[in-house]
Amino acid sequence: MQKPEEMGLQFPCQFPVKVFGASVPELGERVRVIVGKHVPDIRESDFSVRASKGGRYQAITIRVHAQSQAQMDALYLELSACELVQMTL
């Protein structure tokens, strides 16, 4: 994994996190709980959800006010470990 300075990131910063999974109600709920553990000041307006053309999948974008690389690493690890999440970017 690249170091933050190699990616041009300087913390704190705004960082979009994208989560993809099947279009089930539990996905959004689970993502909100996981993100809330790592980003305590997250607001509902920081989330946006978009369904795929066929409606089988959904993409959730979260605008995170990232404080550190460690915070982002922990968030990505927990999101990726969730059985409802197919991909995290």
Side-chain angles (χ1 to χ4, degrees):
M1 181 177 279
Q2 288 182 318
K3 294 179 181 176
E5 57 273 8
E6 292 172 354
M7 295 174 23
L9 293 178
Q10 293 183 350
F11 294 98
C13 66
Q14 292 284 19
F15 194 84
V17 175
K18 294 192 179 270
V19 177
F20 301 91
S23 189
V24 294
E26 299 86 35
L27 177 64
E29 294 167 14
R30 185 79 61 85
V31 167
R32 281 172 174 75
V33 168
I34 292 170
V35 171
K37 284 197 244 178
H38 298 277
V39 187
D41 61 343
I42 198 78
R43 300 173 310 226
E44 190 61 33
S45 62
D46 293 325
F47 290 85
S48 64
V49 180
R50 196 175 100 185
S52 66
K53 187 175 182 179
R56 290 181 53 198
Y57 300 96
Q58 62 181 314
I60 302 171
T61 303
I62 309 107
R63 287 186 319 267
V64 174
H65 186 71
Q67 299 297 318
S68 69
Q69 185 65 47
Q71 175 195 31
M72 296 307 296
D73 290 346
L75 174 59
Y76 273 94
L77 280 173
E78 189 166 354
L79 285 169
S80 297
C82 177
E83 72 278 359
L84 298 174
V85 173
Q86 294 180 346
M87 184 179 0
T88 305
L89 301 174

